[in-house]
C-alpha cells in the first residue's frame, strides 16, 4: 500500500489529541505535555521522510497493485509506438523507470492532470511534472 501523507498526518494529529487528553487526566503539566508533543512531532517527521523515500524506491514493483485501468506495464510498452518515431528513442524511453513511463502514459493518453497522477501514484506533483518534462525531451 502506498504512503498517503495527508491521511497519515490526520491519524497523527488525532492520536496527539487523544494522548493530550490522557496526559491531562493523568495530571501531567503543560510543559511535560509540550515536551512529549515536540518529541512525537520530530519522530513523525523523520518517519514521514523515511516512508516518502523508501516508497519511491519500491514503487515500480508495487505500482501494479494500483493500476487505474486495464493496461499493465507490458501492455503500456506497446502503446509507446504512438509516441515514438525511431528505434533510438524507444530504447531511451525503455531505460526510463516504469513508474515514469506510467505517469507519462496517464498524462498523455488517459488525459489525467498532474495532481490526479500524483494522487494515484502517491508521488509529489513536482516529481510528476519533472518526469513528464524528461520524457517529453526524449521524444523530441
Amino acid at each position: 500500500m502506498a504512503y498517503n501523507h495527508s491521511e497519515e498526518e490526520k491519524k497523527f494529529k488525532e492520536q496527539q489529541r487523544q494522548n493530550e487528553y490522557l496526559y491531562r487526566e493523568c495530571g501531567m503539566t503543560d510543559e511535560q505535555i509540550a515536551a512529549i508533543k515536540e518529541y512525537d512531532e520530530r519522530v513523525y517527521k523523520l518517519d514521514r521522510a523515511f516512508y516518502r523515500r523508501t516508497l519511491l524506491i519500491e514503487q515500480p514493483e508495487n505500482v501494479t497493485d494500483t493500476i487505474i485501468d486495464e493496461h499493465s506495464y507490458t501492455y503500456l510498452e506497446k502503446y509507446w509506438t504512438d509516441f515514438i518515431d525511431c528505434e533510438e528513442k524507444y530504447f531511451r524511453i525503455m531505460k526510463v523507470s516504469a513508474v515514469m513511463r506510467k505517469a507519462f502514459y496517464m498524462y498523455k493518453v488517459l488525459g489525467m492532470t498532474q495532481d490526479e497522477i500524483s494522487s494515484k501514484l502517491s508521488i509529489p506533483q513536482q516529481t510528476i511534472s519533472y518526469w513528464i518534462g524528461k520524457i517529453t525531451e526524449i521524444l523530441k
Side-chain angles (χ1 to χ4, degrees), residues 73-84:
Y73 279 111
T74 55
Y75 292 121
L76 280 176
E77 291 181 7
K78 78 177 185 180
Y79 290 104
W80 281 97
T81 56
D82 297 341
F83 302 110
I84 300 172

Side-chain angles (χ1 to χ4, degrees), residues 56 59 97 99-101 103-104 121 123 126-136:
L56 285 177
Q59 198 71 29
S97 73
V99 71
M100 287 176 71
R101 292 193 311 264
F104 187 81
L121 299 179
I123 296 172
Q126 295 86 351
T127 304
I128 300 295
S129 178
Y130 175 76
W131 288 351
I132 290 170
K134 285 298 252 185
I135 291 179
T136 301

Side-chain angles (χ1 to χ4, degrees), residues 14-89:
E14 179 60 32
Q15 185 63 45
Q16 273 199 320
R17 274 188 233 113
Q18 291 173 3
N19 288 347
E20 185 174 348
Y21 177 76
L22 290 173
Y23 297 152
R24 290 194 189 285
E25 279 190 349
C26 291
M28 293 178 76
T29 66
D30 287 339
E31 293 83 23
Q32 292 170 325
I33 294 172
I36 291 173
K37 185 176 180 179
E38 182 182 326
Y39 174 78
D40 288 345
E41 286 174 352
R42 207 168 347 136
V43 170
Y44 168 74
K45 288 177 183 178
L46 290 171
D47 286 348
R48 181 184 68 189
F50 170 79
Y51 283 114
R52 284 189 65 208
R53 287 176 178 87
T54 56
L55 288 176
L56 285 177
I57 291 170
E58 293 176 5
Q59 198 71 29
E61 293 119 29
N62 295 337
V63 149
T64 55
D65 297 337
T66 60
I67 298 287
I68 59 164
D69 59 8
E70 72 276 4
H71 305 295
S72 69
Y73 279 111
T74 55
Y75 292 121
L76 280 176
E77 291 181 7
K78 78 177 185 180
Y79 290 104
W80 281 97
T81 56
D82 297 341
F83 302 110
I84 300 172
D85 54 3
C86 74
E87 194 172 307
E88 178 190 341
K89 288 181 184 179

Side-chain angles (χ1 to χ4, degrees), residues 99-115:
V99 71
M100 287 176 71
R101 292 193 311 264
K102 174 126 181 103
F104 187 81
Y105 176 83
M106 293 166 76
Y107 180 75
K108 271 300 207 195
V109 176
L110 301 179
M112 296 176 72
T113 66
Q114 292 179 13
D115 286 334

